[in-house]
Amino acid sequence: MDRMAQLAEVITRYAPAAGMHRTAVPRLSLFRADEPTVPTPSVYDASLCLIAQGAKSVAIAEQELFYDAAHYLVVSVDLPLVGRVTEASADAPYLCCKIDLDLPALVDMVIAEGGPGKPPPAPALAVYPGDPDLIDAACRLVRLLDRPESIPALAPLIERELLYRLLAGPHGGALRHLAVADSRLGQVSRAVARIRDRFRDQLRIRDIAAAAGMSESSLHEHFKAVTRTTPLEYQKQLRLQEARRLMLAKGLSAGAAGFAVGYDSPSQFSREYRRLFGAPPRQDVDRLSHQQNFLGAV
């Protein structure tokens, strides 16, 4: 059995139903869909995504990327994307593992190498042909689910190997600059983290710029270049996605969910929700409640 077949077999056992499945391995999530899905906006964390079976597309602004079992996706800064499973069936479900990047470990590795080197041409979001060594390490990480007693000792070692493989690969330049505080990607990453931590609060650009170590004009320019959105649009997506989660998981009304994420005006919340998700809050939640394959971000 080849590595992808092994990966699919383990994911099938630990993701027996459609949806996202968190695991005992830190930063590892598994995903399954038994049919193609509708386009779903979500913020993707900095991560490595490997599909063992099926296919998916992700879009940001006018750019759309496709990946499958022969290609892997790397997200090097948290991005607002629209994901859509394109190949999946009951007999051959979509199966994917997502490994969030351990950024402190990444920083340690880059510092040990002597710094980021020349600024990278690699984008913050990219798809690359499958790497056998990367697939092998990911498979070993997922297979630790069969040996939970080994997770504390072995998972950190395999994660470091995965980071090493990524740094040595075509996306290595972008990841090195993500790890450096005064690089543009590192600064945008700090701005993103600030917005995500305080997305319910009123957005003050000067505070975000200060946290990122940038001027306000530089923040707007480079934030848009990396995320394809403005800081305000990014915050809006975070608010609306959290409101959607609260309505789905907690049963909150649209008004209560909007208020919980920072909206003062129910009509503004409903209007912006419909613009992002394509339907009013209650209609959208009712539709998702009847879908077994609502995936989230992978």
Side-chain angles (χ1 to χ4, degrees):
M1 184 183 297
D2 65 26
R3 285 302 194 190
M4 271 307 179
Q6 291 179 21
L7 189 59
E9 188 273 329
V10 178
I11 295 175
T12 299
R13 285 193 283 111
Y14 288 94
M20 180 186 75
H21 301 263
R22 302 196 183 279
T23 74
V25 176
R27 290 173 289 279
L28 172 66
S29 300
L30 306 178
F31 295 79
R32 174 177 179 148
D34 295 325
E35 61 184 3
T37 64
V38 298
T40 303
S42 186
V43 174
Y44 282 48
D45 297 328
S47 56
L48 164 67
C49 303
L50 284 166
I51 293 176
Q53 187 169 270
K56 189 171 185 179
S57 74
V58 290
I60 181 169
E62 292 78 32
Q63 179 187 21
E64 185 172 20
L65 300 176
F66 294 85
Y67 64 113
D68 54 19
H71 300 82
Y72 64 93
L73 175 77
V74 181
V75 185
S76 54
V77 65
D78 301 352
L79 292 175
L81 305 177
V82 177
R84 175 173 60 95
V85 174
T86 58
E87 291 183 18
S89 67
D91 293 332
Y94 166 85
L95 302 170
C96 178
C97 69
K98 170 175 170 281
I99 303 163
D100 293 337
L101 302 184
D102 185 344
L103 296 183
L106 179 66
V107 170
D108 288 345
M109 293 183 71
V110 171
I111 291 174
E113 287 184 354
K118 187 179 179 181
L125 174 74
V127 168
Y128 301 103
D131 177 340
D133 292 327
L134 195 69
I135 294 168
D136 177 72
C139 188
R140 284 185 276 113
L141 184 69
V142 175
R143 288 178 63 188
L144 287 179
L145 295 172
D146 289 332
R147 295 176 291 154
E149 72 282 358
S150 301
I151 291 173
L154 296 182
L157 299 178
I158 300 174
E159 280 191 87
R160 286 187 68 85
E161 179 183 349
L162 284 164
L163 290 175
Y164 171 80
R165 300 293 179 192
L166 289 172
L167 287 171
H171 209 73
L175 292 178
R176 286 185 178 85
H177 276 250
L178 173 64
V180 176
D182 60 355
S183 71
R184 290 304 185 196
L185 196 55
Q187 290 173 317
V188 170
S189 181
R190 291 206 304 278
V192 164
R194 174 79 174 212
I195 296 171
R196 296 196 75 171
D197 286 343
R198 305 185 183 186
F199 69 88
R200 294 175 178 84
D201 301 336
Q202 181 180 354
L203 186 71
R204 293 182 173 85
I205 293 298
R206 64 177 180 274
D207 294 340
I208 304 301
M214 308 170 79
S215 67
E216 293 183 28
S217 60
S218 182
L219 171 67
H220 276 291
E221 176 187 354
H222 294 288
F223 195 98
K224 186 70 178 284
V226 171
T227 69
R228 307 293 180 92
T229 69
T230 66
L232 184 60
E233 290 168 342
Y234 193 99
Q235 180 200 39
K236 187 183 300 182
Q237 291 205 29
L238 293 177
R239 285 181 166 185
L240 294 172
Q241 288 163 14
E242 174 62 8
R244 192 189 213 192
R245 187 194 69 80
L246 290 172
M247 288 185 286
L248 280 167
K250 305 293 186 180
L252 267 62
S253 67
F259 181 76
V261 300
Y263 279 90
D264 295 324
S265 167
S267 60
Q268 181 186 5
F269 169 69
S270 182
R271 182 170 59 252
E272 293 183 354
Y273 189 103
R274 181 170 188 165
R275 188 177 298 128
L276 179 62
F277 295 117
R282 182 48 53 193
Q283 181 180 331
D284 176 60
V285 170
D286 288 344
R287 173 177 60 85
L288 290 174
S289 296
H290 290 89
Q291 287 184 354
Q292 296 298 314
N293 54 3
F294 177 61
L295 290 182
V298 141

